[in-house]
Amino acid sequence: VRAGRLEAFSDGVIAIAATLLVIELAVPPAGEDVWHALREELPAVAAFAVSFLTILIFWVNHHALYHAVEGVNRAMLFINGLLLLAISFVSYCTAVLGHALQTGEHDRSAAVLYALVLGLCSTCFTALWICLRARPGLLTEQARPRVYAALRRSLAGPTIYLVAILVGLLNAPASLALDAVVALYFALVPRHLRKPALPPTGAGPR
Amino acid sequence: VRAGRLEAFSDGVIAIAATLLVIELAVPPAGEDVWHALREELPAVAAFAVSFLTILIFWVNHHALYHAVEGVNRAMLFINGLLLLAISFVSYCTAVLGHALQTGEHDRSAAVLYALVLGLCSTCFTALWICLRARPGLLTEQARPRVYAALRRSLAGPTIYLVAILVGLLNAPASLALDAVVALYFALVPRHLRKPALPPTGAGPR
Amino acid sequence: VRAGRLEAFSDGVIAIAATLLVIELAVPPAGEDVWHALREELPAVAAFAVSFLTILIFWVNHHALYHAVEGVNRAMLFINGLLLLAISFVSYCTAVLGHALQTGEHDRSAAVLYALVLGLCSTCFTALWICLRARPGLLTEQARPRVYAALRRSLAGPTIYLVAILVGLLNAPASLALDAVVALYFALVPRHLRKPALPPTGAGPR
Amino acid sequence: VRAGRLEAFSDGVIAIAATLLVIELAVPPAGEDVWHALREELPAVAAFAVSFLTILIFWVNHHALYHAVEGVNRAMLFINGLLLLAISFVSYCTAVLGHALQTGEHDRSAAVLYALVLGLCSTCFTALWICLRARPGLLTEQARPRVYAALRRSLAGPTIYLVAILVGLLNAPASLALDAVVALYFALVPRHLRKPALPPTGAGPR
């Protein structure tokens, strides 16, 4: 499988998974006050927003990874498939968490399940970098010296999600807040992943 | 993140958000007269059409913006993510507005929410142009002299949506009509955003 | 708007519209006999299949049209938007028709609505060819001499759908059969729309 | 139709079909224990996972096929359309099978239907290779000597799904397990389908 094609297909799945999230938000029944319904649904909307931004960050990381890659082997193809399966399952977990946060019933179990699935996605990324570490021939020449740094950086995901699972056993909103922290952490794209064609002048990106 | 890839991914999310709108339209229960049901659902169909065309216009503007861009910085990546989040939320607001217009209950609140979310999308576009104004190095050379004009033009969106919010406090259908005006305004793509490769002969596009 | 980008975006909307059709098919409730349920739903499945294949054919024609095009003007952009709106509305009409055919109630109204929406799509294609006839500068050089033939051929769509609307006033299944005829007609892609790079030897496509 | 464009469109439909699967999983009603609900839904989740991975494998095979192709003829275009129709129908069958496995009622009929639809997809692949066998001019030069091997290999799909249909008459979970075997079989991509640009050194993929 050509890496470019695999990336395009994965992009499609990730974009759809992000956009489908919204259909799990229950539209308030006709006749109900809109602001009241929204306030009631605020926890579900928060879970929706965290999931959406997390999936966007997954996309950014996925793109950065395949930008550094020239080919994929069978193990990577398999892990990539598992990653897409897990990402497509996020909408289910988001709906479960949203409902649970709204009613306050079984919300800790829902938070654990949610962090578990995000953690699985995150672990797939780390596994992909481990594959690339083991077979640097799959990387572009420029990317080879940076594979260690990328692998180390990717470990932040599984680590924080593990904490989020443990916190979820005690408190659901705190666990969701931790999940949001991962998205924020990875939103801070390190310098070396930015567009290289830009001139290093003051007019370029910070 | 390469601008081309970000554009392709955003295109995917925008295309899905537009196409998903239709699944919020309630299919009339079996046995009901089709034309009667459609007439009853006309306000929801109108909201659907306005949302669909508005999202198409968002796409046209998104495309025009990235056509002028050579790279994106972190701020733009973040604003783009917020824009996609808001666009994917449009289907929810469309369903709420559709229901409210049909029953006539709480329809003004729904119209305010609807214009608020469209206004948020619109403000993201203006924010992207402000980023580009501040860092012209991110623009292609041809686009740099036109960044002022584009930024000024993009202000029409937040402005009209703000009026639509205020009108929505009084009358929901009038507010929706104003939302449609924004789509019409931006549908009038200015000359300089058209395909440059076409010869400037009489046979070219008007 | 660059024609290639518009085509890619339209492809996305068309692919999603086709794939979303299936979620309007009602999954039989647990405990019901699967074959019995499928037999009961056969009219809905038939409507689903006709819609799916019709949208695929729309894609083929859309692709053939944009293959012949170098640029689009504002009128074409607008008609293309209307076409996408109509295509995304097909799933709604398919669900309405499927329900009506299953129960036999109001099925003629549903068939008229269905043929009306497909006819609108079809008319958009004709309108696009009329735009190109009026401004041959938008066409590639090879495509210019063939614009008449393409426009004439595209008229088959609105014509047969008009007949399907009239037939739908009398008999719903016959109208659906006529809709299927349009798909079959356009499935017979004329020779000149095939891949030109292939050598004209006996080993090439028939 | 250019083969590249057909592939991109098919990719879109396949990606959406895979990602839509999840919305057929019933989110447990608020107030129910999350782990208990998941355990109850385990058969449906298993069917979801098998469908998702099977569709991913379909994509890999679809990509490998079009990688070997230079053009498509009308017969291939038609078979490709049928393949997409069948793939988009998988989510319906997955939901039916999931429900039936959960309740244990009519589960064998559901397993037969499921294997039937997957078998139809698989047969379309074989039919595409038969088309290419008959018209080697459609293949790239490098792919021509391998068309026999690819055709023979593709026969594994219809064969195992036929067995899965027969087994489904007796036992539903065993039939689903066999369906999973097909995915595993094709996951073992043969050597000649991997990225050719990679150097054949030890640093390359195994």
Side-chain angles (χ1 to χ4, degrees):
Chain A
V1 173
R2 282 166 291 170
R5 207 76 214 180
L6 179 62
E7 188 185 355
F9 183 77
S10 305
D11 278 12
V13 172
I14 297 173
I16 301 157
T19 321
L20 276 183
L21 286 169
V22 79
I23 67 174
E24 299 286 6
L25 279 182
V27 174
E32 203 176 327
D33 178 51
V34 172
W35 302 115
H36 178 79
L38 258 188
R39 218 171 14 243
E40 287 245 304
E41 251 183 293
L42 210 61
V45 173
F48 159 70
V50 172
S51 291
F52 192 93
L53 295 176
T54 301
I55 292 181
L56 283 197
I57 298 294
F58 284 160
W59 174 74
V60 172
N61 284 336
H62 194 266
H63 171 64
L65 189 143
Y66 281 87
H67 189 47
V69 150
E70 267 191 344
V72 290
N73 60 13
R74 211 182 294 174
M76 288 181 67
L77 197 58
F78 183 80
I79 297 168
N80 197 81
L82 192 62
L83 172 62
L84 295 183
L85 176 60
I87 288 179
S88 90
F89 199 61
V90 167
S91 75
Y92 179 87
C93 303
T94 308
V96 170
L97 180 60
H99 289 186
L101 286 174
Q102 246 175 288
T103 61
E105 284 182 270
H106 301 288
D107 58 343
R108 288 172 299 169
S109 313
V112 169
L113 173 68
Y114 184 74
L116 209 63
V117 170
L118 292 186
L120 175 59
C121 298
S122 201
T123 306
C124 286
F125 276 108
T126 301
L128 285 171
W129 283 113
I130 288 173
C131 286
L132 291 170
R133 241 304 270 112
R135 308 204 157 271
L138 295 166
L139 289 161
T140 62
E141 221 147 302
Q142 309 96 285
R144 265 171 236 178
R146 293 195 305 247
V147 64
Y148 267 113
L151 172 53
R152 233 180 306 116
R153 182 166 174 271
S154 83
L155 284 169
T159 312
I160 313 184
Y161 284 126
L162 184 60
V163 178
I165 291 170
L166 297 174
V167 169
L169 294 169
L170 304 169
N171 185 293
S175 177
L176 180 59
L178 262 173
D179 299 327
V181 163
V182 184
L184 283 179
Y185 174 82
F186 282 106
L188 309 168
V189 186
R191 178 177 293 274
H192 67 272
L193 295 172
R194 289 204 226 114
K195 192 165 178 286
L198 279 168
T201 69
R206 214 171 352 150
Chain B
V1 174
R2 283 166 292 171
R5 208 75 214 179
L6 179 62
E7 188 185 356
F9 183 77
S10 305
D11 278 12
V13 172
I14 297 173
I16 301 158
T19 321
L20 276 183
L21 286 169
V22 78
I23 67 173
E24 299 286 6
L25 278 182
V27 174
E32 204 177 326
D33 178 51
V34 172
W35 302 114
H36 178 77
L38 259 187
R39 221 175 7 248
E40 286 245 306
E41 252 183 293
L42 210 60
V45 173
F48 159 70
V50 171
S51 292
F52 193 93
L53 294 176
T54 301
I55 293 181
L56 283 197
I57 298 295
F58 284 160
W59 174 74
V60 172
N61 285 337
H62 195 265
H63 171 64
L65 189 142
Y66 281 87
H67 189 48
V69 151
E70 266 189 347
V72 290
N73 61 12
R74 213 181 293 174
M76 286 181 68
L77 197 58
F78 182 80
I79 297 169
N80 197 79
L82 192 63
L83 171 61
L84 296 183
L85 177 61
I87 288 180
S88 90
F89 198 62
V90 167
S91 74
Y92 179 87
C93 303
T94 307
V96 170
L97 179 59
H99 289 185
L101 286 175
Q102 247 175 288
T103 60
E105 283 183 88
H106 301 289
D107 58 342
R108 287 171 302 170
S109 312
V112 169
L113 173 68
Y114 184 74
L116 210 62
V117 170
L118 292 187
L120 174 58
C121 298
S122 200
T123 306
C124 286
F125 276 108
T126 301
L128 286 170
W129 283 113
I130 289 173
C131 286
L132 290 170
R133 242 304 271 111
R135 309 203 158 271
L138 294 167
L139 289 162
T140 62
E141 221 146 301
Q142 308 95 285
R144 264 172 236 178
R146 293 195 303 247
V147 64
Y148 268 112
L151 172 52
R152 232 181 307 117
R153 182 166 174 272
S154 82
L155 284 169
T159 311
I160 313 184
Y161 284 126
L162 184 60
V163 178
I165 291 169
L166 298 174
V167 169
L169 295 170
L170 305 169
N171 185 294
S175 177
L176 179 60
L178 261 173
D179 299 326
V181 162
V182 184
L184 283 178
Y185 174 82
F186 282 105
L188 309 168
V189 187
R191 180 176 292 274
H192 68 273
L193 294 172
R194 289 204 226 114
K195 191 163 182 287
L198 278 167
T201 69
R206 213 171 350 151
Chain C
V1 173
R2 283 166 291 170
R5 208 74 214 180
L6 179 63
E7 188 185 356
F9 183 77
S10 305
D11 278 12
V13 172
I14 297 174
I16 301 157
T19 321
L20 275 183
L21 286 170
V22 78
I23 67 173
E24 299 287 9
L25 279 182
V27 174
E32 203 177 327
D33 178 51
V34 172
W35 302 116
H36 179 77
L38 258 187
R39 221 171 13 243
E40 286 245 306
E41 251 183 291
L42 210 61
V45 173
F48 159 69
V50 171
S51 291
F52 193 92
L53 294 176
T54 300
I55 292 180
L56 283 198
I57 297 295
F58 285 159
W59 174 74
V60 172
N61 285 336
H62 195 265
H63 171 63
L65 190 143
Y66 281 87
H67 189 49
V69 151
E70 266 189 348
V72 290
N73 61 12
R74 211 181 296 174
M76 286 181 69
L77 197 58
F78 183 80
I79 298 169
N80 197 79
L82 192 63
L83 171 62
L84 295 183
L85 177 61
I87 288 179
S88 92
F89 198 61
V90 167
S91 74
Y92 179 87
C93 302
T94 306
V96 170
L97 179 60
H99 287 187
L101 286 174
Q102 246 175 288
T103 60
E105 284 182 89
H106 302 289
D107 58 343
R108 287 172 301 171
S109 312
V112 169
L113 173 67
Y114 185 74
L116 210 62
V117 171
L118 292 187
L120 175 59
C121 297
S122 199
T123 305
C124 286
F125 276 109
T126 300
L128 286 171
W129 283 113
I130 288 172
C131 286
L132 290 170
R133 244 298 275 115
R135 307 205 159 270
L138 294 167
L139 289 161
T140 62
E141 220 146 302
Q142 309 94 287
R144 265 172 235 178
R146 292 196 305 247
V147 65
Y148 267 113
L151 172 52
R152 232 180 308 118
R153 182 167 174 271
S154 83
L155 284 169
T159 311
I160 313 185
Y161 284 126
L162 184 61
V163 178
I165 291 170
L166 297 174
V167 169
L169 295 170
L170 305 169
N171 185 295
S175 177
L176 179 61
L178 262 173
D179 299 326
V181 162
V182 184
L184 283 179
Y185 174 82
F186 282 105
L188 308 168
V189 186
R191 180 176 292 275
H192 68 273
L193 296 173
R194 289 202 228 117
K195 192 165 181 285
L198 277 168
T201 68
R206 212 169 354 145
Chain D
V1 173
R2 283 166 291 171
R5 208 74 215 181
L6 179 62
E7 189 185 355
F9 182 77
S10 304
D11 278 11
V13 171
I14 297 173
I16 301 156
T19 321
L20 276 183
L21 286 169
V22 78
I23 66 173
E24 299 287 7
L25 278 182
V27 175
E32 203 177 328
D33 178 51
V34 172
W35 302 116
H36 178 78
L38 258 187
R39 218 168 19 239
E40 286 244 305
E41 251 184 292
L42 210 62
V45 173
F48 159 69
V50 171
S51 292
F52 192 93
L53 295 177
T54 300
I55 292 180
L56 283 197
I57 297 294
F58 284 159
W59 174 75
V60 172
N61 285 336
H62 195 266
H63 171 63
L65 190 143
Y66 281 87
H67 189 47
V69 150
E70 267 191 346
V72 290
N73 61 13
R74 210 182 295 174
M76 287 181 68
L77 197 59
F78 183 80
I79 297 168
N80 197 79
L82 192 62
L83 172 62
L84 296 182
L85 176 61
I87 288 179
S88 92
F89 198 61
V90 167
S91 75
Y92 179 87
C93 302
T94 307
V96 170
L97 180 60
H99 288 186
L101 286 174
Q102 248 175 287
T103 61
E105 285 182 89
H106 301 289
D107 58 342
R108 288 173 299 171
S109 311
V112 169
L113 174 68
Y114 184 74
L116 210 62
V117 169
L118 292 187
L120 175 58
C121 298
S122 200
T123 306
C124 287
F125 276 108
T126 301
L128 286 171
W129 283 115
I130 288 173
C131 287
L132 290 170
R133 244 300 273 115
R135 308 203 159 271
L138 295 167
L139 289 162
T140 61
E141 223 148 299
Q142 309 95 284
R144 266 172 234 176
R146 293 195 305 247
V147 65
Y148 267 111
L151 172 53
R152 233 181 305 118
R153 183 167 173 270
S154 84
L155 285 170
T159 311
I160 312 184
Y161 284 127
L162 183 61
V163 178
I165 291 170
L166 298 174
V167 169
L169 295 170
L170 305 169
N171 185 293
S175 177
L176 180 60
L178 262 173
D179 299 327
V181 163
V182 184
L184 283 179
Y185 174 82
F186 282 105
L188 308 168
V189 187
R191 179 176 292 274
H192 67 272
L193 295 172
R194 289 203 225 116
K195 193 165 179 281
L198 278 167
T201 69
R206 212 168 355 148

